[in-house]
Structure formats: C-alpha cells, structure tokens
Amino acid sequence: MVSTRALMIGAGVAGAGLLALYVSRQGLGNVAASVGAGAVQAVGGAASGAVGAIGQAVGLPTPAQTSTDAQVARWLIDNFGQLEASKWAGAPAYLRAQFMDAGSGRPPPADSAVGLEFLPRLAPQASYDETDRLAARYPAPREPSSIFDGGASFEAGAGYDFKPGGIWGF
C-alpha cells in the first residue's frame, strides 16, 4: 500500500515538472508577466467587489452600474446636480465633465443602469394644448358696468349722460 506522504511527494514532483515544462516553452519573462497580471486582476477584482459591497450598503450604485462617459456625467450635472453625478459617474468621467461646457452632455443609454435611474425622473414634456387649463385659471376680463367695477365716469354709474356741452355746459 502506498502511503499518503509518498503520494504528496509524487504530486509535488509532477507539478514541478509541469511548471518546468511550461516555463521552458513560454520563457521566464512571459510567465512572470502572466503571474503578475493575474495577481493584479485578482486584487483589483477583490477591491472593486469590496467597494461595490460597501457602496450598496449605504445606497450607492456598484462600479458596474456607474457611467464612464464624461458626456453622460455632464448631462447628470446639468439635470440632476453635482451630488447625483458624483454618485453615478466614475471618477475620471466626473472630473472631465467638470471642464465641459454646460449643456454639452448627452443623456445615458435608456437600457443602462444610469438611464433606468434618471430618464424616468425627467419632467414629461406636454403634448397637449394648455388653452383650456389656462382659460380656467385666468378668465377673460368682463365688460365694466359702472364706476365701481371699472366704468367710464361717475355720470355713467349714476345714470347721467355725459356729453360735451351737456348738463354742465362744457
């Protein structure tokens, strides 16, 4: 019967042999670069996941939900303010948007997380005639009937006919 220790030693020797074969085919520089890139991606992914989890706990969008487009960030600044733009745009896009002219942004795609969050919040554009609503709110002025509601003279309100050369002799 083969002992566990012998199996472990055999597996280690086989793994070292495969590693030596891989290094001989790829070259030591390429292997080191691959290992380094893998380590950076693993750390970056872990950091991004931690940031997303902490942000979600306090009500912020995850990094995958934010926009990386500076024009979208500028649109958010113009329509919803600095705070919302700083939450929903990545830091590089948000900083570039600060130096763009007001009104030079563009709305986010409708199917993106930013678009789903903000496009429904925009005030709907009126597609109807507001004449009836305005006429009810601001009725047309009526014709005055006496001096007390804008009539022309005291005589008109008292029943006198005022004509030049009339009762007063003018």
Side-chain angles (χ1 to χ4, degrees):
M1 185 157 128
V2 179
S3 70
T4 310
R5 184 174 180 160
L7 283 177
M8 298 281 285
I9 291 173
V13 169
L18 288 174
L19 180 62
L21 179 64
Y22 181 73
V23 168
S24 68
R25 290 191 181 246
Q26 295 293 322
L28 189 60
N30 289 340
V31 171
S34 297
V35 169
V40 167
Q41 285 180 346
V43 170
S48 177
V51 167
I54 292 169
Q56 275 187 323
V58 295
L60 295 175
T62 63
Q65 292 174 317
T66 59
S67 175
T68 58
D69 187 357
Q71 289 183 323
V72 171
R74 184 69 230 183
W75 182 85
L76 286 170
I77 291 169
D78 294 340
N79 290 291
F80 296 98
Q82 294 284 343
L83 179 65
E84 293 295 329
S86 69
K87 288 192 290 187
W88 285 90
Y94 177 71
L95 291 175
R96 281 190 304 243
Q98 297 298 320
F99 298 102
M100 295 172 68
D101 292 332
S104 63
R106 69 168 180 250
D111 60 344
S112 69
V114 179
L116 293 172
E117 178 70 24
F118 289 101
L119 292 177
R121 288 194 204 175
L122 289 178
Q125 300 297 321
S127 61
Y128 57 89
D129 185 18
E130 293 189 23
T131 305
D132 293 334
R133 183 184 66 82
L134 292 174
R137 182 170 181 162
Y138 305 106
R142 58 185 180 81
E143 292 294 322
S145 60
S146 72
I147 188 68
F148 301 108
D149 60 358
S153 67
F154 285 107
E155 287 81 17
Y160 295 111
D161 275 341
F162 179 76
K163 296 178 186 152
I167 191 170
W168 303 105
F170 293 96

